Amino acid sequence: MLQIKNRETAKLSPLIVSALLATTLTACGGSSGGGSEQSSSSSESSSSESSSSEESSSSSSSEDNTDGAFSIDPDFQLYALADFPVGVAVSAAGESYSIFNHSDATQRQNVITEHFSELTAGNIMKMSYLHPQEDTFTFGDADELVGFADTNGMTVHGHALVWHSGYQVPGFMENYEGDFAAMLSDHVKGIVNHFESEFPGTVASWDVVNEAVDQGGENGFRQSLFYNELPPASEGDIPEYIRVAFQAARDTGAEIDLYYNDYDNTANDVRLAKTLEIADGLAEGDLIDGVGFQMHVYMTYPSLNDFENAFQEVVDRGLKVKVTELDVAVVNPYGGNAPDELEYDAALAGEQKQRFCDIARVYLETVPAELRGGFTVWGLTDDESWLMNQFRNATGADYDDVWPLLFNADLSAKPALQGVADAFQGNACNSDI
Ligand code: XIL
């Protein structure tokens, strides 16, 4: 059983709260609906519906920045309100927004240690970053990140041991001529064992396999490199590579939770069923501890009932539920929002606060304490979100900002942070800001 690391013993730095300019904004807001949850690998777009609402901004006790963001001055540490990991995805090494060398790195670290108890590497713990060549593992950048977590009494959710996405598949795995299963097994063990021996207990869980479902693919599984090498052993089975990867992680003997992680598997029944099929196949051999729901979602899609239903399915199986990559874009390009249609006004900031609160509330209400694997947002500040790129790639239009996270570009906390805190404290969700 995993324990949340004791933050009391950790070195915590005080939050630097920035003073904000007070101005008044009046603008039209809109909420989004329709579309599928996104993944970097998703080219699917589901039926989209447009919706827009016209609301003038309400008067507000919050202040807004010059760039139209709204902020609060939190009187809480978010992670301290929860008895499960509260995580944030971060950039590291030489990446943009690296918590080690971005221009605001120190302040960024302070906000992260103030409000979160777990880190996920947004990129630098993916396959090729850690294992570029068969006989070469490169752990330096990841060690800096995991070491930072360790020093600050935080855990790390490892992401991801096996993922099809081309930019991070090690070249040597393509056209591999040896025993693919043995190679994959060594890949998994080499990585898991490294962190376990260097930072015992800090990397507390792993996405062992990410995004194996593809409803367009043959039998609902993604026809990835891994699938092609190690397909289902017989009809009706899950792909063999999934089993090999989880078995290898289990065989390390490390006390870590093993997750299967995927996207668009709450509202999408076909993708949810496939996710559960994978979980069931692995559970037979006691190879899985939980299911990760990425949850790159929108203001009105998926519905709260969809989240509840999906979480419940996993809970019914006695597996943990982890929200692994939450962001709530207020703009939905698949729901008809053009890039310049929305302004992030007070009404929208309040609605987003309520949306974050409702999602966290459903998580707490549906998942019993012992099965709560954690609640992680995919990035710290709105300006670093991957979604603007993602939406640009998908639609060709430029989305300067879609305001999907809990902190403003200047590191001030958004009302959305209060929304999550409200849910964690058992308070009613509301859109007041
Ligand atoms: C994204 C990163 O945030 C981007 O920086 C990168 O360019 C592509 O990958 N699902 C996942 C994550 O599991 O690994 C993806 O992260 C977002 C979608």
Side-chain angles (χ1 to χ4, degrees), residues 73-122:
D73 187 0
D75 59 1
F76 54 83
Q77 293 181 282
L78 187 66
Y79 81 85
L81 307 177
D83 56 2
F84 46 85
V86 179
V88 58
V90 294
S91 298
E95 292 184 287
S96 307
Y97 297 96
S98 165
I99 65 167
F100 299 117
N101 66 17
H102 192 57
S103 53
D104 64 4
T106 306
Q107 295 92 321
R108 203 162 269 274
Q109 290 181 8
N110 289 343
V111 176
I112 286 168
T113 53
E114 182 80 3
H115 287 292
F116 298 94
S117 58
E118 185 166 87
L119 301 178
T120 304

Short mmCIF file of all heavy atoms in Angstrom, two decimals, residues 73-122:
data_model
loop_
_atom_site.label_atom_id
_atom_site.label_comp_id
_atom_site.label_asym_id
_atom_site.label_seq_id
_atom_site.Cartn_x
_atom_site.Cartn_y
_atom_site.Cartn_z
N ASP A 73 -6.30 34.97 -3.60
CA ASP A 73 -5.17 34.89 -2.68
C ASP A 73 -5.46 33.72 -1.75
O ASP A 73 -6.14 33.89 -0.75
CB ASP A 73 -5.07 36.22 -1.92
CG ASP A 73 -3.83 36.29 -1.08
OD1 ASP A 73 -3.04 35.32 -1.10
OD2 ASP A 73 -3.65 37.31 -0.39
N PRO A 74 -4.99 32.52 -2.09
CA PRO A 74 -5.43 31.33 -1.34
C PRO A 74 -4.96 31.35 0.11
O PRO A 74 -3.80 31.68 0.38
CB PRO A 74 -4.81 30.16 -2.10
CG PRO A 74 -3.82 30.72 -3.05
CD PRO A 74 -4.02 32.19 -3.15
N ASP A 75 -5.86 30.96 1.01
CA ASP A 75 -5.47 30.85 2.42
C ASP A 75 -5.31 29.38 2.79
O ASP A 75 -5.48 28.98 3.93
CB ASP A 75 -6.51 31.52 3.32
CG ASP A 75 -7.89 30.91 3.14
OD1 ASP A 75 -8.03 29.96 2.33
OD2 ASP A 75 -8.83 31.37 3.82
N PHE A 76 -5.01 28.54 1.78
CA PHE A 76 -4.86 27.10 1.99
C PHE A 76 -3.71 26.61 1.12
O PHE A 76 -3.27 27.30 0.21
CB PHE A 76 -6.14 26.37 1.58
CG PHE A 76 -6.57 26.70 0.16
CD1 PHE A 76 -6.01 26.03 -0.93
CD2 PHE A 76 -7.51 27.70 -0.09
CE1 PHE A 76 -6.37 26.36 -2.24
CE2 PHE A 76 -7.88 28.04 -1.40
CZ PHE A 76 -7.31 27.36 -2.47
N GLN A 77 -3.24 25.42 1.45
CA GLN A 77 -2.34 24.68 0.55
C GLN A 77 -3.19 23.56 -0.02
O GLN A 77 -3.72 22.73 0.74
CB GLN A 77 -1.17 24.12 1.34
CG GLN A 77 -0.24 25.19 1.89
CD GLN A 77 0.93 24.56 2.64
OE1 GLN A 77 0.79 24.13 3.77
NE2 GLN A 77 2.08 24.51 1.99
N LEU A 78 -3.34 23.52 -1.32
CA LEU A 78 -4.30 22.59 -1.92
C LEU A 78 -4.05 21.15 -1.49
O LEU A 78 -4.97 20.44 -1.08
CB LEU A 78 -4.27 22.70 -3.45
CG LEU A 78 -5.36 21.89 -4.16
CD1 LEU A 78 -6.76 22.42 -3.85
CD2 LEU A 78 -5.12 21.87 -5.68
N TYR A 79 -2.80 20.72 -1.56
CA TYR A 79 -2.51 19.30 -1.27
C TYR A 79 -2.88 18.92 0.15
O TYR A 79 -3.22 17.77 0.44
CB TYR A 79 -1.04 18.98 -1.56
CG TYR A 79 -0.10 19.37 -0.46
CD1 TYR A 79 0.13 18.51 0.62
CD2 TYR A 79 0.55 20.61 -0.47
CE1 TYR A 79 0.98 18.88 1.65
CE2 TYR A 79 1.40 20.97 0.55
CZ TYR A 79 1.62 20.11 1.61
OH TYR A 79 2.44 20.47 2.62
N ALA A 80 -2.80 19.91 1.06
CA ALA A 80 -3.06 19.62 2.46
C ALA A 80 -4.54 19.36 2.73
O ALA A 80 -4.92 18.88 3.80
CB ALA A 80 -2.56 20.77 3.34
N LEU A 81 -5.39 19.67 1.76
CA LEU A 81 -6.83 19.45 1.92
C LEU A 81 -7.24 18.05 1.47
O LEU A 81 -8.41 17.71 1.53
CB LEU A 81 -7.62 20.50 1.10
CG LEU A 81 -7.26 21.97 1.35
CD1 LEU A 81 -8.07 22.87 0.42
CD2 LEU A 81 -7.53 22.33 2.81
N ALA A 82 -6.29 17.27 0.99
CA ALA A 82 -6.62 15.97 0.41
C ALA A 82 -5.79 14.87 1.06
O ALA A 82 -4.66 15.10 1.49
CB ALA A 82 -6.35 15.98 -1.09
N ASP A 83 -6.36 13.68 1.11
CA ASP A 83 -5.61 12.54 1.65
C ASP A 83 -5.15 11.61 0.52
O ASP A 83 -4.96 10.43 0.70
CB ASP A 83 -6.44 11.77 2.68
CG ASP A 83 -7.77 11.32 2.11
OD1 ASP A 83 -8.02 11.58 0.90
OD2 ASP A 83 -8.57 10.72 2.84
N PHE A 84 -4.99 12.19 -0.66
CA PHE A 84 -4.48 11.46 -1.82
C PHE A 84 -3.53 12.42 -2.54
O PHE A 84 -3.56 13.62 -2.28
CB PHE A 84 -5.63 11.02 -2.75
CG PHE A 84 -6.63 12.12 -3.01
CD1 PHE A 84 -6.40 13.05 -4.02
CD2 PHE A 84 -7.77 12.25 -2.23
CE1 PHE A 84 -7.30 14.08 -4.25
CE2 PHE A 84 -8.67 13.29 -2.46
CZ PHE A 84 -8.44 14.20 -3.47
N PRO A 85 -2.68 11.89 -3.43
CA PRO A 85 -1.75 12.79 -4.13
C PRO A 85 -2.48 13.85 -4.96
O PRO A 85 -3.44 13.53 -5.67
CB PRO A 85 -0.96 11.84 -5.04
CG PRO A 85 -1.10 10.49 -4.42
CD PRO A 85 -2.46 10.47 -3.79
N VAL A 86 -2.01 15.07 -4.85
CA VAL A 86 -2.54 16.16 -5.67
C VAL A 86 -1.38 16.60 -6.55
O VAL A 86 -0.37 17.12 -6.06
CB VAL A 86 -3.05 17.32 -4.78
CG1 VAL A 86 -3.57 18.46 -5.65
CG2 VAL A 86 -4.14 16.81 -3.84
N GLY A 87 -1.52 16.33 -7.84
CA GLY A 87 -0.37 16.44 -8.71
C GLY A 87 -0.44 17.53 -9.76
O GLY A 87 -1.50 18.09 -10.05
N VAL A 88 0.73 17.82 -10.31
CA VAL A 88 0.83 18.78 -11.41
C VAL A 88 1.90 18.28 -12.38
O VAL A 88 2.94 17.76 -11.96
CB VAL A 88 1.16 20.20 -10.89
CG1 VAL A 88 2.47 20.23 -10.10
CG2 VAL A 88 1.19 21.22 -12.03
N ALA A 89 1.61 18.39 -13.67
CA ALA A 89 2.62 18.05 -14.68
C ALA A 89 3.55 19.24 -14.83
O ALA A 89 3.11 20.39 -14.87
CB ALA A 89 1.95 17.74 -16.01
N VAL A 90 4.84 18.94 -14.92
CA VAL A 90 5.82 20.02 -15.04
C VAL A 90 6.79 19.77 -16.18
O VAL A 90 7.04 18.63 -16.57
CB VAL A 90 6.62 20.20 -13.73
CG1 VAL A 90 5.72 20.67 -12.60
CG2 VAL A 90 7.37 18.94 -13.35
N SER A 91 7.32 20.87 -16.67
CA SER A 91 8.42 20.80 -17.62
C SER A 91 9.72 20.88 -16.83
O SER A 91 9.77 21.47 -15.75
CB SER A 91 8.35 21.97 -18.60
OG SER A 91 7.15 21.89 -19.34
N ALA A 92 10.76 20.27 -17.37
CA ALA A 92 12.04 20.25 -16.65
C ALA A 92 13.17 20.35 -17.67
O ALA A 92 12.93 20.62 -18.85
CB ALA A 92 12.15 18.99 -15.81
N ALA A 93 14.38 20.13 -17.19
CA ALA A 93 15.58 20.21 -18.04
C ALA A 93 15.55 21.50 -18.87
O ALA A 93 15.26 22.56 -18.34
CB ALA A 93 15.69 18.96 -18.92
N GLY A 94 15.78 21.39 -20.17
CA GLY A 94 15.84 22.59 -21.00
C GLY A 94 14.53 22.94 -21.67
O GLY A 94 14.49 23.78 -22.58
N GLU A 95 13.42 22.33 -21.27
CA GLU A 95 12.14 22.60 -21.91
C GLU A 95 11.67 24.03 -21.61
O GLU A 95 12.04 24.61 -20.58
CB GLU A 95 11.07 21.66 -21.36
CG GLU A 95 11.23 20.21 -21.71
CD GLU A 95 10.04 19.41 -21.19
OE1 GLU A 95 9.94 19.19 -19.97
OE2 GLU A 95 9.21 19.01 -22.02
N SER A 96 10.77 24.53 -22.46
CA SER A 96 10.10 25.78 -22.13
C SER A 96 9.36 25.57 -20.81
O SER A 96 8.80 24.51 -20.58
CB SER A 96 9.05 26.14 -23.18
OG SER A 96 9.60 26.14 -24.45
N TYR A 97 9.35 26.59 -19.99
CA TYR A 97 8.67 26.55 -18.69
C TYR A 97 9.30 25.57 -17.71
O TYR A 97 8.68 25.20 -16.71
CB TYR A 97 7.16 26.25 -18.84
CG TYR A 97 6.44 27.33 -19.60
CD1 TYR A 97 6.19 27.22 -20.97
CD2 TYR A 97 6.03 28.49 -18.95
CE1 TYR A 97 5.56 28.23 -21.67
CE2 TYR A 97 5.38 29.51 -19.64
CZ TYR A 97 5.16 29.37 -21.00
OH TYR A 97 4.52 30.38 -21.68
N SER A 98 10.53 25.16 -17.99
CA SER A 98 11.22 24.25 -17.06
C SER A 98 11.20 24.83 -15.65
O SER A 98 11.50 26.01 -15.45
CB SER A 98 12.67 24.08 -17.51
OG SER A 98 13.43 23.50 -16.48
N ILE A 99 10.88 23.98 -14.69
CA ILE A 99 10.89 24.47 -13.30
C ILE A 99 12.32 24.70 -12.81
O ILE A 99 12.52 25.20 -11.72
CB ILE A 99 10.15 23.52 -12.33
CG1 ILE A 99 10.87 22.16 -12.21
CG2 ILE A 99 8.70 23.35 -12.74
CD1 ILE A 99 10.36 21.33 -11.04
N PHE A 100 13.30 24.31 -13.64
CA PHE A 100 14.69 24.53 -13.24
C PHE A 100 15.36 25.70 -13.95
O PHE A 100 16.30 26.27 -13.41
CB PHE A 100 15.51 23.25 -13.45
CG PHE A 100 14.98 22.11 -12.63
CD1 PHE A 100 14.48 20.97 -13.23
CD2 PHE A 100 14.95 22.20 -11.24
CE1 PHE A 100 13.97 19.92 -12.47
CE2 PHE A 100 14.44 21.17 -10.47
CZ PHE A 100 13.94 20.02 -11.08
N ASN A 101 14.90 26.05 -15.14
CA ASN A 101 15.60 27.18 -15.76
C ASN A 101 14.73 28.19 -16.49
O ASN A 101 15.24 29.05 -17.19
CB ASN A 101 16.78 26.70 -16.63
CG ASN A 101 16.31 25.91 -17.83
OD1 ASN A 101 15.14 25.98 -18.19
ND2 ASN A 101 17.20 25.18 -18.47
N HIS A 102 13.41 28.14 -16.28
CA HIS A 102 12.58 29.21 -16.81
C HIS A 102 12.89 30.48 -16.02
O HIS A 102 13.40 30.41 -14.90
CB HIS A 102 11.10 28.82 -16.65
CG HIS A 102 10.16 29.71 -17.41
ND1 HIS A 102 10.25 29.88 -18.76
CD2 HIS A 102 9.11 30.47 -17.02
CE1 HIS A 102 9.30 30.71 -19.17
NE2 HIS A 102 8.59 31.08 -18.12
N SER A 103 12.60 31.62 -16.60
CA SER A 103 12.95 32.88 -15.92
C SER A 103 12.32 32.99 -14.53
O SER A 103 12.88 33.63 -13.64
CB SER A 103 12.53 34.06 -16.79
OG SER A 103 11.17 33.94 -17.13
N ASP A 104 11.17 32.36 -14.34
CA ASP A 104 10.51 32.44 -13.03
C ASP A 104 10.64 31.11 -12.26
O ASP A 104 9.78 30.77 -11.44
CB ASP A 104 9.04 32.81 -13.18
CG ASP A 104 8.25 31.73 -13.93
OD1 ASP A 104 8.82 30.68 -14.27
OD2 ASP A 104 7.04 31.95 -14.18
N ALA A 105 11.72 30.37 -12.52
CA ALA A 105 11.83 29.00 -11.98
C ALA A 105 11.64 28.92 -10.47
O ALA A 105 10.94 28.06 -9.97
CB ALA A 105 13.18 28.38 -12.39
N THR A 106 12.25 29.85 -9.74
CA THR A 106 12.15 29.77 -8.28
C THR A 106 10.72 29.97 -7.81
O THR A 106 10.20 29.21 -6.98
CB THR A 106 13.06 30.83 -7.63
OG1 THR A 106 14.38 30.65 -8.15
CG2 THR A 106 13.08 30.70 -6.12
N GLN A 107 10.06 30.98 -8.37
CA GLN A 107 8.66 31.23 -7.98
C GLN A 107 7.78 30.06 -8.38
O GLN A 107 6.86 29.67 -7.67
CB GLN A 107 8.14 32.50 -8.65
CG GLN A 107 8.82 33.78 -8.19
CD GLN A 107 10.01 34.14 -9.08
OE1 GLN A 107 10.77 33.28 -9.53
NE2 GLN A 107 10.17 35.42 -9.33
N ARG A 108 8.06 29.49 -9.55
CA ARG A 108 7.32 28.33 -10.05
C ARG A 108 7.47 27.16 -9.06
O ARG A 108 6.50 26.51 -8.69
CB ARG A 108 7.88 27.97 -11.44
CG ARG A 108 6.99 27.21 -12.36
CD ARG A 108 7.51 27.35 -13.79
NE ARG A 108 6.90 28.49 -14.42
CZ ARG A 108 5.71 28.45 -15.06
NH1 ARG A 108 5.07 27.32 -15.19
NH2 ARG A 108 5.18 29.55 -15.56
N GLN A 109 8.68 26.91 -8.64
CA GLN A 109 8.91 25.83 -7.67
C GLN A 109 8.15 26.12 -6.38
O GLN A 109 7.59 25.21 -5.77
CB GLN A 109 10.40 25.72 -7.34
CG GLN A 109 11.24 25.18 -8.47
CD GLN A 109 12.71 25.07 -8.09
OE1 GLN A 109 13.09 25.26 -6.94
NE2 GLN A 109 13.55 24.76 -9.06
N ASN A 110 8.14 27.38 -5.96
CA ASN A 110 7.46 27.72 -4.71
C ASN A 110 5.96 27.46 -4.79
O ASN A 110 5.36 26.93 -3.85
CB ASN A 110 7.71 29.19 -4.36
CG ASN A 110 9.14 29.44 -3.91
OD1 ASN A 110 9.85 28.49 -3.57
ND2 ASN A 110 9.57 30.68 -3.94
N VAL A 111 5.35 27.83 -5.90
CA VAL A 111 3.91 27.58 -6.05
C VAL A 111 3.64 26.08 -6.08
O VAL A 111 2.69 25.58 -5.47
CB VAL A 111 3.37 28.26 -7.33
CG1 VAL A 111 1.90 27.92 -7.54
CG2 VAL A 111 3.56 29.78 -7.25
N ILE A 112 4.50 25.36 -6.77
CA ILE A 112 4.31 23.90 -6.88
C ILE A 112 4.43 23.22 -5.52
O ILE A 112 3.59 22.40 -5.15
CB ILE A 112 5.32 23.34 -7.91
CG1 ILE A 112 4.88 23.72 -9.33
CG2 ILE A 112 5.47 21.83 -7.77
CD1 ILE A 112 5.92 23.48 -10.40
N THR A 113 5.43 23.57 -4.76
CA THR A 113 5.58 22.91 -3.45
C THR A 113 4.51 23.38 -2.46
O THR A 113 4.17 22.67 -1.53
CB THR A 113 6.98 23.15 -2.84
OG1 THR A 113 7.25 24.55 -2.81
CG2 THR A 113 8.05 22.45 -3.67
N GLU A 114 3.98 24.56 -2.69
CA GLU A 114 2.93 25.08 -1.82
C GLU A 114 1.62 24.31 -2.00
O GLU A 114 0.90 24.07 -1.04
CB GLU A 114 2.71 26.57 -2.15
CG GLU A 114 1.68 27.28 -1.30
CD GLU A 114 2.20 27.70 0.07
OE1 GLU A 114 3.39 27.48 0.35
OE2 GLU A 114 1.41 28.23 0.86
N HIS A 115 1.32 23.94 -3.23
CA HIS A 115 -0.04 23.43 -3.50
C HIS A 115 -0.12 21.98 -3.95
O HIS A 115 -1.21 21.43 -4.03
CB HIS A 115 -0.72 24.33 -4.54
CG HIS A 115 -1.13 25.65 -3.97
ND1 HIS A 115 -2.14 25.78 -3.04
CD2 HIS A 115 -0.65 26.90 -4.17
CE1 HIS A 115 -2.27 27.05 -2.70
NE2 HIS A 115 -1.38 27.75 -3.36
N PHE A 116 1.01 21.37 -4.27
CA PHE A 116 0.94 20.01 -4.82
C PHE A 116 1.83 19.06 -4.02
O PHE A 116 2.84 19.46 -3.45
CB PHE A 116 1.36 20.02 -6.30
CG PHE A 116 0.44 20.87 -7.15
CD1 PHE A 116 0.75 22.21 -7.42
CD2 PHE A 116 -0.75 20.35 -7.63
CE1 PHE A 116 -0.11 23.00 -8.18
CE2 PHE A 116 -1.62 21.14 -8.39
CZ PHE A 116 -1.30 22.47 -8.67
N SER A 117 1.42 17.80 -4.03
CA SER A 117 2.21 16.78 -3.32
C SER A 117 2.81 15.78 -4.29
O SER A 117 3.51 14.85 -3.87
CB SER A 117 1.33 16.05 -2.30
OG SER A 117 0.21 15.46 -2.94
N GLU A 118 2.54 15.94 -5.59
CA GLU A 118 3.06 14.98 -6.57
C GLU A 118 3.38 15.69 -7.88
O GLU A 118 2.70 16.64 -8.26
CB GLU A 118 2.02 13.88 -6.82
CG GLU A 118 2.53 12.77 -7.73
CD GLU A 118 1.63 11.55 -7.71
OE1 GLU A 118 0.66 11.50 -8.49
OE2 GLU A 118 1.89 10.64 -6.90
N LEU A 119 4.40 15.21 -8.56
CA LEU A 119 4.77 15.73 -9.88
C LEU A 119 4.63 14.64 -10.94
O LEU A 119 4.87 13.46 -10.65
CB LEU A 119 6.23 16.21 -9.89
CG LEU A 119 6.62 17.29 -8.88
CD1 LEU A 119 8.12 17.60 -9.00
CD2 LEU A 119 5.81 18.57 -9.11
N THR A 120 4.24 15.05 -12.12
CA THR A 120 4.38 14.19 -13.30
C THR A 120 5.25 14.96 -14.28
O THR A 120 5.07 16.18 -14.44
CB THR A 120 3.01 13.93 -13.98
OG1 THR A 120 2.11 13.37 -13.02
CG2 THR A 120 3.15 12.96 -15.15
N ALA A 121 6.19 14.28 -14.91
CA ALA A 121 6.98 14.95 -15.95
C ALA A 121 6.11 15.06 -17.21
O ALA A 121 5.61 14.04 -17.71
CB ALA A 121 8.24 14.16 -16.25
N GLY A 122 5.95 16.27 -17.71
CA GLY A 122 5.14 16.45 -18.92
C GLY A 122 5.75 15.73 -20.11
O GLY A 122 5.03 15.26 -20.99
#
